[in-house]
Amino acid sequence: MLLPMERSTATNHAAVLDAARTLFADHGYRGTSMKDIAEVLGVRAPSLYNHVASKQDILHAIMDKAMDRAITALDEALAGISDVSEQLRRATESLVLDFLRYPAEVTVCNNEVRSLDPGNRIAIVAKRDQYAGRLRKIIEQGCRSGRFQTRTPQLAAFAVLEMGNGAKSWFKASGRYTDTYVAGEYGEFALRVVGCTDSSGRSPSAKGPQRSKPQVS
Amino acid sequence: MLLPMERSTATNHAAVLDAARTLFADHGYRGTSMKDIAEVLGVRAPSLYNHVASKQDILHAIMDKAMDRAITALDEALAGISDVSEQLRRATESLVLDFLRYPAEVTVCNNEVRSLDPGNRIAIVAKRDQYAGRLRKIIEQGCRSGRFQTRTPQLAAFAVLEMGNGAKSWFKASGRYTDTYVAGEYGEFALRVVGCTDSSGRSPSAKGPQRSKPQVS
DNA sequence: ACTACTAATTAACGTTCGTTAGTACCGTAT
DNA sequence: ATACGGTACTAACGAACGTTAATTAGTAGT
């Protein structure tokens, strides 16, 4: 059995997660039934249990994978970057890009933490706090070194983290810009929020050279 | 019947909404049963139908009231203010203050639009868009008059709108600052995001006079 | 005392849910 | 041919849901 069975629609673990992701994002965990997920795959609800252990496991798998991907992206964005302004810019761009490219996963992560069983919840929340903590520490470091000017670094961190949600909900509606352009704009917003005046080479001013062009889609 | 009946716990329309608000915010609309709401009031589920028409009506009433209150607060915050920087500052402060003072309502408004019946949904979304549109127009006006410096006014508007959510989730956890102080900080953040350099009197710099003091709670 | 009204109750309804059990089909390997 | 692993199906379960109906108790007004 070298080649997997070729059905018209292959139903496997990943396919179930794919179908559930959109439904969870659109109608919520409790607003989505196993029957709903099965219908997307052209299958009856009990058949899903050949691929997943439970509905709860679907939710946990979706969120766990999404958090790992976001954390990995942050790792790569910050690799080898020592300048704190550039760290904040790249971290924000990474965050926003993840939001724009995987809006369903992000929506689920934002809204369905409460739907996780206690055991799964503490695991996901730990990864979430780890991510937020890294961004907060960048801002705190920038404030200590005098590069950033804000009285409330923790408040600024939360402001930056949440800004990305605006990008996500807006990006879906209007397709005027590319995801990388929007991410670049939010990178600027983040540096402005923390009161950074010298962004080490790249200009934060609207009159400076643009990093990428807006593009009609 | 001049005086209303004095029971140990008065169950009426407002009381049902109060009980449902917190439950909807914590566990979602579909994650909250009529029995759950009734238990908070020390009553059985069918008794609720003496005060509300349906579960859906509870949700609609909560969101409609919350939107009206936010819009009224925005009206009052902007009354008689002509300077566009001050308009943005006051609008943001009004938004954040509303988020901090009525976190449950705001959470419901943010998360449960999808749980509204189609008829109710378009009514609520219209008010939501009205609110967002007013903030967006302030930023666009500031950009046209040259007071704000940002390439993407619409993006900045969404960034400012979403920032308040960060304040809400963070404010619950840490009680280090007063709500008015946090709102003031976010007013500054908003002006920074749009690239406003002259905020007409009040200093946006960390070195300038603070508008209010942080206060341990 | 009688009436009217309000708000609470229990019982029950039809539906939907997540999940399990038992079974049949089908492609592959022996 | 035959046995097997994987995947699908139908049927059914117990539980929970929103809601309605019928009834009871208590209060106010005449």
Side-chain angles (χ1 to χ4, degrees):
Chain A
M1 200 251 282
L2 293 178
L3 288 177
M5 187 175 38
E6 288 195 41
R7 286 178 185 260
S8 56
T9 60
T11 303
N12 52 29
H13 187 84
V16 174
L17 297 187
D18 286 343
R21 220 186 331 260
T22 312
L23 291 170
F24 286 172
D26 290 346
H27 309 103
Y29 177 72
R30 307 200 73 143
T32 303
S33 68
M34 294 296 274
K35 189 185 171 191
D36 293 333
I37 301 171
E39 274 176 1
V40 173
L41 301 170
V43 146
R44 310 278 180 176
S47 302
L48 299 179
Y49 290 86
N50 288 319
H51 307 284
V52 298
S54 67
K55 188 187 179 190
Q56 172 71 206
D57 275 10
I58 297 175
L59 179 64
H60 175 63
I62 290 172
M63 297 180 72
D64 198 53
K65 219 199 259 187
M67 291 307 307
D68 284 346
R69 192 197 49 236
I71 290 173
T72 299
L74 184 61
D75 287 338
E76 294 171 357
L78 295 177
I81 308 298
S82 57
D83 180 72
V84 71
S85 302
E86 198 59 20
Q87 281 180 341
L88 177 59
R89 184 199 297 274
R90 286 180 180 244
T92 305
E93 288 178 352
S94 168
L95 172 86
V96 173
L97 259 186
D98 191 70
F99 277 31
L100 298 187
R101 290 183 173 163
Y102 309 98
E105 286 92 326
V106 173
T107 298
V108 172
C109 285
N110 280 343
N111 298 333
E112 302 299 343
V113 174
R114 61 183 167 207
S115 301
L116 287 166
D117 284 347
N120 290 336
R121 178 157 51 225
I122 58 175
I124 296 295
V125 167
K127 294 190 178 185
R128 197 165 129 120
D129 289 349
Q130 175 198 337
Y131 191 101
R134 289 173 65 178
L135 192 117
R136 194 187 68 241
K137 275 167 192 159
I138 292 172
I139 296 180
E140 288 173 348
Q141 170 63 25
C143 288
R144 270 196 305 273
S145 66
R147 299 283 300 280
F148 299 164
Q149 304 287 334
T150 179
R151 289 192 295 271
T152 50
Q154 298 180 23
L155 256 147
F158 274 89
V160 171
L161 282 167
E162 290 290 335
M163 277 194 319
N165 282 320
K168 169 170 65 75
S169 54
W170 172 84
F171 190 71
K172 279 187 292 191
S174 163
R176 294 180 57 194
Y177 305 103
T178 64
D179 50 8
T180 52
Y181 179 77
V182 173
E185 285 294 280
Y186 273 83
E188 287 296 336
F189 290 161
L191 287 169
R192 289 178 172 186
V193 163
V194 300
C196 176
T197 48
D198 57 336
S199 61
S200 78
R202 292 199 268 183
S203 167
S205 159
K207 297 173 186 172
Q210 297 187 6
R211 301 185 57 239
S212 60
K213 298 275 182 183
Q215 177 175 318
V216 181
S217 69
Chain B
M1 199 252 285
L2 293 179
L3 288 178
M5 186 176 39
E6 290 193 36
R7 287 180 187 258
S8 57
T9 60
T11 302
N12 52 29
H13 186 86
V16 174
L17 265 49
D18 286 344
R21 219 186 331 260
T22 312
L23 292 171
F24 286 172
D26 290 346
H27 309 104
Y29 177 71
R30 307 201 73 140
T32 303
S33 68
M34 294 295 275
K35 189 183 172 193
D36 293 334
I37 302 171
E39 274 177 2
V40 173
L41 301 169
V43 145
R44 309 279 181 178
S47 302
L48 300 178
Y49 290 85
N50 288 318
H51 309 283
V52 297
S54 66
K55 189 188 177 189
Q56 173 71 206
D57 276 7
I58 299 175
L59 179 63
H60 175 65
I62 290 172
M63 296 180 72
D64 198 54
K65 219 197 259 185
M67 291 307 306
D68 285 345
R69 192 197 49 237
I71 290 173
T72 300
L74 184 61
D75 287 337
E76 294 171 356
L78 295 178
I81 308 297
S82 57
D83 180 73
V84 71
S85 301
E86 197 59 18
Q87 280 181 340
L88 177 59
R89 185 200 297 274
R90 285 181 181 245
T92 305
E93 288 177 354
S94 168
L95 171 87
V96 173
L97 258 186
D98 192 70
F99 278 30
L100 299 186
R101 288 182 174 163
Y102 309 99
E105 286 91 327
V106 173
T107 298
V108 172
C109 286
N110 280 341
N111 298 332
E112 302 298 343
V113 174
R114 62 182 168 206
S115 301
L116 287 167
D117 284 346
N120 290 335
R121 177 158 50 225
I122 59 175
I124 296 295
V125 167
K127 295 191 177 184
R128 195 165 128 119
D129 289 349
Q130 177 197 339
Y131 191 101
R134 289 173 65 178
L135 192 116
R136 194 188 66 239
K137 275 166 191 158
I138 292 173
I139 295 180
E140 289 172 348
Q141 170 63 25
C143 288
R144 270 196 304 273
S145 66
R147 300 283 302 278
F148 299 164
Q149 305 287 334
T150 179
R151 288 191 294 271
T152 50
Q154 297 182 21
L155 256 146
F158 274 89
V160 170
L161 281 167
E162 289 289 336
M163 278 196 317
N165 282 319
K168 169 170 66 73
S169 53
W170 172 83
F171 191 71
K172 279 188 291 190
S174 163
R176 295 180 57 193
Y177 304 103
T178 64
D179 50 7
T180 52
Y181 179 77
V182 172
E185 285 293 281
Y186 274 82
E188 285 297 336
F189 290 162
L191 288 169
R192 289 179 173 187
V193 163
V194 300
C196 175
T197 49
D198 57 334
S199 60
S200 78
R202 293 200 269 182
S203 166
S205 159
K207 296 173 184 173
Q210 297 186 5
R211 300 185 58 238
S212 59
K213 297 275 184 183
Q215 177 175 315
V216 182
S217 69

